[in-house]
Each structure stands twice: as C-alpha cells, then as structure tokens.
Amino acid sequence: MEIKYNRSLSGVPENQQQQPLRRITKTYIENRDPVRRNLTMLYNEDTQQINKSMLSSNNDLRRKMLNQDRVKRSLNQDVLEDKENVPQHKGITTKLYTLPQELQNITIKPKFDHTIQENKNLQKYYTDEIFFYLKEQEKKSTPQEFLKIHSIPSNLRAKMIDWMVEVLCSYKCTDQTFFVAVRTLDFYFAKNEKQLEVSDLHLCGVTSMFIAAKYEEIHPMKLSVVYEKIAHKKLTTDQIKKKESEILQTIGFDLVGGTLFDLYNLILTNCFIESKLLEKNYKYLKKLCLYLAKMVLYDYEICGKNNYTLLSAALIFVAFKIVEQLETTFNADSQIKDVADIIQVDQDQLVEVAAKILNLAKNFEKHFPNLENLKKFNGFQLEDDEQ
C-alpha cells in the first residue's frame, strides 16, 4: 500500500524541493537570531573589560604594597641616622580643665535594675490597684460550697490537700504553685455540674498540680514524671491529658484569679506592716501567715464558706496576736482595725472567722489526725529564723 506524504502539513510548500538537513549549531542559531548575537558580543566585551580591570587593580595593589615597604625602610633608616640628634625635651606639663560649677552639681542616676528589691518597691506603688481588682473579681473567681453536689467527703479532700503539700514541696515548687493547684481543684468542683465520686479525687488532684506547675513554674513537671513518680503508673497519660482539658474547659481557663497567698501578701504590703515591726518579727509573721493559709485550706467548713479576702484578713489577725507576744509595742487590735478599714471588710465577721482559725490551729491534730505533711514541710519555730 502506497502512503503519500502531504508536505503542506509540515509547513513546507509543495513546489519547493527538499533541501538537505543542516547541522544545527550554536553559531548557526546566533547568525539566524540577531538579538542573541548582539547579547553574545556584549557579554564577551564585558568579560574582557572585567578581566582588564581585575588585572589593573591587582597591579595597583602590588604597587601600593611596594611603596609602603619602601616608606618603612626609609623611615627606619632615618630614625637610625638621627637617633643621636633627637632633642631632649623637658617635662611636659598638662593643663587640667575643670567643669563649670553648674555641671558639677549634676548627679547621674544609676540605670534601673530589675532586682527583687526593686520589684518589691515597684509593687508597693500598685498594691491598691492590684488588690481591689482581685477583690472585684473575687465573687466569680473564689470557689465556695464546692463539695455541695459531689459525693466526696471533706476529710478525703483534706487528705488530698495534705498529699499535695508533700508532692509540691518535694519537687521544690513554689508556694504559689500549691495555692493555684488547690484553687484549680476547688474551682473545678464548684463549676462542674456533674456529680463527682471519690474515685475521681485522685485524678483531679494530680491533674490540678500538673496544671498549676505548668502555669507557675519556670521548669514545670513533665508528664512522664507525673505519670511515673506522682501517679505511680496508676493513671495513664491519656487520662491525665483528658482530665486536664476537661478541667480547663470547665473553669473557663481562668487561672488568673487571686489566691489566698496573693491576697494576704497584698494586705501586708498595702498596710505597711513591715515598717511597724522589727525585721526578724516581720519574717516570723510572714512564715506564720503562710502556715495558717495552708492550714485553712484543709478545713472545708472554713475555706468553703468564706471568700479569700476575709480569710486573709482573719489569718493575719491570728498572726498579729502571736507576734504581739514577741513585740510588746505592736498592738494587734488596733492594727487589724486599720486593716479591716483599708480592705473594706466587716470587723465583727473578721473576728469571728479569726476565732475559728485559731481554734483550728490549736486542735489541728485532733481535727485531721495522721495528716503531718503541713508540719513536716512548713513547720518552724522562732529559733529557726534567728539562725
């Protein structure tokens, strides 16, 4: 079968004879394309010019180096020849210039240093604003009546608080981490509408410490440490992560509210108690307040029915009464009256809650037998501070 090839489809006229194939080379393309040819010529000219300039610059650099060597040799030779003829100058006198009297009186203040002491002084200027802001937020940020709908007894919760003291102190966590952990736990109980059982307490306590450590500590506890060392592998990592998400969603991610630790420290700063006591007695007062604040959180009847501001003022009053026996010039009654006026709490109610706290302090072992971690990790005596 004969196949006819239509040359018109290839773009070549039918009447044109077939020409032999040419070898396509770079030169051929350049000759056919004037733009490419011109660019090639410009490129070659630029390359030659660059090579010439580089060669000339190298020559100039070499020439400068030779001139420098020649100058050095000539200078050394001149020094050797004229060394003996160098004139001997007499002692040179310098004229001292003094600043005008107006400039001498100017004192340059040192740069502000963000040290702990500077931060304490800075805190004093904003104590009022911080305290009263936390007091305004207290109604929605302080957990109250948090065990009302749950099946968790108050004595088991106190046992959990005691264990949290041991865990967080053993892992060198700050005191604020403990108070945030307890507030998170109680806040979750208060906000959770689903009834919780005793079996939920361990997981809730572990997860609350995990959340507080991540929020407060510079180097928080890792999940692997919580799983192996704290939960002793009785809780899985998935359970802890799931409970963490549930707690945060239930409390609305509200970890910013003031704790009992925050409020009693702000009250002491706001009322300038440090300036009214000897240094060692003020340190003793701070330790007393910390011990009483942790102790108060054991008792559901006290911490579950009073806000943090009232509890802070009441435990400070108890601490005042103890420090009053050490420093006779310090009047606890007049000082607590000033505190009540400044923080705007009812004085009669304050005294009533303070009496309950004092009774708890005297009978703590009777109310909570076998719970010794508070005394073990936060117990102290006056002699310890003096040493």
Side-chain angles (χ1 to χ4, degrees):
M1 180 177 180
E2 184 179 1
I3 300 175
K4 293 184 179 181
Y5 176 68
N6 188 1
R7 294 182 59 81
S8 63
L9 296 177
S10 63
V12 180
E14 295 181 357
N15 58 357
Q16 184 177 351
Q17 297 182 357
Q18 186 176 4
Q19 299 293 331
L21 295 175
R22 294 183 180 182
R23 178 179 295 177
I24 299 175
T25 60
K26 181 179 179 182
T27 307
Y28 173 74
I29 294 173
E30 290 175 355
N31 291 332
R32 292 291 301 273
D33 190 353
V35 176
R36 184 185 294 273
R37 184 172 61 252
N38 293 335
L39 289 175
T40 304
M41 293 175 60
L42 291 173
Y43 172 77
N44 293 333
E45 292 176 0
D46 292 341
T47 303
Q48 293 176 2
Q49 188 174 0
I50 291 171
N51 292 333
K52 289 180 181 180
S53 63
M54 290 178 65
L55 181 61
S56 62
S57 63
N58 290 334
N59 292 333
D60 293 340
L61 181 62
R62 192 179 297 109
R63 193 178 301 108
K64 288 180 181 180
M65 293 176 65
L66 292 175
N67 290 335
Q68 288 178 358
D69 292 337
R70 191 178 299 109
V71 170
K72 287 181 181 179
R73 287 196 301 270
S74 63
L75 287 174
N76 292 334
Q77 186 66 27
D78 293 338
V79 169
L80 291 175
E81 291 177 356
D82 299 336
K83 186 176 181 180
E84 296 180 357
N85 299 325
V86 176
Q88 300 295 327
H89 297 284
K90 296 181 180 180
I92 300 174
T93 59
T94 59
K95 184 178 180 180
L96 297 177
Y97 294 92
T98 58
L99 292 173
Q101 187 66 28
E102 296 81 4
L103 298 178
Q104 288 182 357
N105 295 330
I106 297 176
T107 57
I108 301 176
K109 294 183 180 181
K111 186 178 179 181
F112 182 76
D113 185 15
H114 293 278
T115 59
I116 296 176
Q117 188 62 36
E118 292 290 346
N119 288 335
K120 286 183 179 179
N121 293 333
L122 187 62
Q123 184 187 18
K124 292 179 181 178
Y125 294 111
Y126 299 100
T127 303
D128 292 344
E129 289 78 1
I130 296 172
F131 175 78
F132 286 106
Y133 172 75
L134 294 178
K135 195 171 184 298
E136 289 177 1
Q137 302 295 319
E138 194 170 43
K139 291 182 180 180
K140 63 179 182 180
S141 63
T142 301
Q144 290 186 357
E145 301 287 346
F146 42 84
L147 294 180
K148 188 175 182 179
I149 66 171
H150 303 299
S151 301
I152 300 174
S154 59
N155 61 332
L156 289 182
R157 177 193 166 276
K159 190 175 182 180
M160 171 58 67
I161 301 301
D162 190 67
W163 182 61
M164 292 168 76
V165 171
E166 179 185 12
V167 170
L168 295 176
C169 288
S170 299
Y171 281 91
K172 309 298 181 183
C173 294
T174 61
D175 294 319
Q176 176 70 334
T177 302
F178 167 78
F179 286 97
V180 171
V182 175
R183 177 187 175 274
T184 303
L185 178 67
D186 294 341
F187 204 16
Y188 172 66
F189 289 159
K191 293 289 185 179
N192 196 345
E193 297 179 356
K194 180 182 176 181
Q195 186 178 11
L196 297 173
E197 305 294 335
V198 175
S199 57
D200 299 321
L201 182 60
H202 186 213
L203 178 59
C204 293
V206 170
T207 310
S208 297
M209 289 189 289
F210 184 46
I211 293 172
K214 288 205 292 185
Y215 185 73
E216 287 292 335
E217 297 296 325
I218 298 175
H219 303 289
M221 295 181 291
K222 296 182 179 179
L223 181 60
S224 58
V225 174
V226 176
Y227 165 69
E228 294 178 4
K229 304 296 183 181
I230 298 177
H232 301 291
K233 299 183 180 180
K234 294 181 180 179
L235 302 172
T236 64
T237 56
D238 291 336
Q239 284 179 312
I240 297 172
K241 289 190 289 185
K242 185 178 179 181
K243 181 58 70 173
E244 179 186 15
S245 177
E246 181 184 343
I247 289 175
L248 290 174
Q249 289 179 7
T250 302
I251 67 176
F253 295 86
D254 184 8
L255 299 171
V256 189
T259 63
L260 194 59
F261 182 79
D262 291 322
L263 290 170
Y264 84 73
N265 276 292
L266 287 170
I267 291 173
L268 292 177
T269 304
N270 194 18
C271 299
F272 302 99
I273 304 300
E274 184 177 3
S275 61
K276 301 172 183 177
L277 287 170
L278 296 175
E279 183 179 358
K280 66 176 183 178
N281 291 336
Y282 183 72
K283 291 181 179 179
Y284 185 69
L285 175 69
K286 292 291 290 284
K287 289 184 177 182
L288 270 173
C289 290
L290 177 61
Y291 180 86
L292 293 172
K294 289 188 175 184
M295 183 193 68
V296 162
L297 294 178
Y298 279 71
D299 197 324
Y300 174 69
E301 295 299 324
I302 297 178
C303 69
K305 297 181 180 180
N306 299 286
N307 57 50
Y308 282 162
T309 302
L310 184 60
L311 290 176
S312 301
L315 68 90
I316 287 174
F317 185 34
V318 175
F320 279 176
K321 282 293 186 180
I322 298 174
V323 172
E324 186 182 36
Q325 301 175 12
L326 303 174
E327 190 169 335
T328 55
T329 58
F330 184 78
N331 191 332
D333 293 327
S334 63
Q335 292 298 329
I336 201 61
K337 183 179 179 181
D338 295 339
V339 169
D341 293 338
I342 292 174
I343 66 175
Q344 300 174 6
V345 295
D346 184 66
Q347 189 172 355
D348 295 334
Q349 191 177 5
L350 187 154
V351 173
E352 181 183 352
V353 177
K356 294 180 181 179
I357 295 176
L358 183 60
N359 181 57
L360 175 63
K362 291 180 179 179
N363 303 287
F364 183 79
E365 296 180 357
K366 185 185 295 185
H367 289 290
F368 303 103
N370 302 323
L371 300 185
E372 299 178 353
N373 286 324
L374 179 61
K375 183 178 179 181
K376 178 180 178 181
F377 291 98
N378 288 103
F380 66 96
Q381 294 179 357
L382 183 61
E383 290 78 9
D384 299 337
D385 186 62
E386 291 178 350
Q387 291 177 359

